[in-house]
Amino acid sequence: MNDYFNDVYLKRMNRDGNTIQERVRTAKEREFDKLFIKKTKYRAVIYGINDEESDIPCSIQPSKWTQDKIVSNILVPLKFSRKKTGDLFRTFQKNKNVEYDKIWLVVYVSDDITHGYQSYEAIELDTVITIPNQYGETLYTIPAKIVSETSVFVKDQLMSYGAVTYREPLAHRKLFTQNFDFLTKDTYFEYEGRGWKISGNDDLSIKNVAILSFEESLVSPPEPNSSRDILVGEDDNFFLNHENKR
């Protein structure tokens, strides 16, 4: 009888949790999975995370009245593994006859799961920048978001981590993207047919996220492909050796 009580009865009674809080959360989780996520008009699918394929149902909620308009809230069932800031979500959403294929950068992960779902704050990366090599060939194509420095979201981030931010007097815009090792000061990139140069990278305010300051630069003309085959030895570089001998 004792074994039946412990092995069957208690497990059946506590299948939704051992405490009231756990049972309430389980009920909310079940409601989110079986009702809300299937019926909400904001339903979408995360089909890619960074460079990996996925198939995660979600709800892309618009910004709350307390949030900047560039921020959206992506709600995900608890049964999926927790993601982190800096992750890229690729989502597909269909509203009536309109299809949306978007890339999102996670900028905040909520620790609160009492509502029965995971909650992420994300910004849509609706811009693409390219980083070419000296021959004009594209090395990297990076999704990004260019935001005014007067944005409430940007102000909140910079004020929260004021000690580590870069502040140039003429930097009125910031570029948000996933952080990469090659996004360093003076890196040249192109956007909308114009040349730009990174003047600073705040990669500490949000983990795995780069908040770039940038300034316009002359478009770098590519070197001719014929120069690839020219071997330059130590004694062949007149200007370099001339400078070293001074």
Side-chain angles (χ1 to χ4, degrees):
M1 183 67 180
N2 230 7
D3 291 338
Y4 176 84
F5 180 79
N6 291 323
D7 296 340
V8 179
Y9 181 77
L10 283 182
K11 287 183 179 179
R12 186 177 298 167
M13 288 294 294
N14 297 328
R15 62 185 175 184
D16 291 336
N18 296 317
T19 65
I20 293 177
Q21 290 84 354
E22 289 179 354
R23 292 179 190 128
V24 170
R25 193 188 77 185
T26 300
K28 289 182 177 179
E29 181 180 356
R30 189 179 294 122
E31 180 182 2
F32 180 82
D33 290 355
K34 296 186 176 181
L35 296 176
F36 177 81
I37 201 69
K38 293 181 179 180
K39 296 182 178 180
T40 175
K41 64 178 181 179
Y42 300 116
R43 176 179 170 83
V45 174
I46 302 173
Y47 68 85
I49 298 177
N50 301 323
D51 294 325
E52 298 182 359
E53 293 183 359
S54 65
D55 185 14
I56 301 176
C58 69
S59 176
I60 303 176
Q61 306 282 133
S63 57
K64 302 175 184 176
W65 68 272
T66 55
Q67 296 173 315
D68 192 297
K69 289 185 178 179
I70 70 168
V71 176
S72 292
N73 302 279
I74 301 181
L75 312 182
V76 175
L78 287 177
K79 62 185 177 182
F80 294 99
S81 62
R82 182 182 171 91
K83 310 309 174 188
K84 61 184 184 300
T85 56
D87 281 343
L88 294 183
F89 289 175
R90 288 173 168 79
T91 64
F92 175 80
Q93 186 177 36
K94 187 173 182 178
N95 190 347
K96 296 181 179 178
N97 294 322
V98 183
E99 296 181 349
Y100 303 93
D101 198 321
K102 297 182 177 182
I103 301 176
W104 303 86
L105 175 67
V106 177
V107 294
Y108 177 76
V109 180
S110 175
D111 292 325
D112 185 4
I113 59 173
T114 58
H115 298 294
Y117 54 79
Q118 302 178 56
S119 178
Y120 302 93
E121 290 184 11
I123 55 178
E124 181 190 352
L125 303 185
D126 53 5
T127 294
V128 173
I129 66 172
T130 58
I131 299 179
N133 62 14
Q134 66 267 39
Y135 304 106
E137 300 166 338
T138 299
L139 286 178
Y140 306 104
T141 301
I142 306 169
K145 177 76 173 182
I146 296 177
V147 183
S148 168
E149 204 172 46
T150 60
S151 160
V152 174
F153 175 76
V154 174
K155 283 184 176 180
D156 286 347
Q157 294 302 322
L158 299 186
M159 289 180 67
S160 298
Y161 301 88
V164 297
T165 56
Y166 296 87
R167 292 184 177 276
E168 294 82 2
L170 298 178
H172 301 304
R173 291 173 294 181
K174 298 292 182 183
L175 188 150
F176 283 73
T177 188
Q178 191 177 43
N179 196 33
F180 298 98
D181 292 338
F182 54 80
L183 294 177
T184 56
K185 184 176 171 63
D186 294 329
T187 296
Y188 172 82
F189 68 91
E190 294 179 352
Y191 165 62
E192 290 193 341
R194 295 159 68 181
W196 307 86
K197 183 174 67 174
I198 296 174
S199 54
N201 180 2
D202 171 10
D203 57 0
L204 298 178
S205 291
I206 308 176
K207 191 173 182 179
N208 305 315
V209 173
I211 306 175
L212 304 178
S213 302
F214 58 99
E215 57 190 29
E216 192 161 8
S217 175
L218 294 175
V219 176
S220 298
E223 293 184 16
N225 282 325
S226 57
S227 64
R228 295 176 188 263
D229 301 325
I230 299 176
L231 299 178
V232 180
E234 183 179 352
D235 297 330
D236 298 327
N237 194 327
F238 170 79
F239 295 101
L240 178 60
N241 287 301
H242 181 67
E243 290 293 327
N244 289 339
K245 292 175 182 177
R246 285 187 179 182

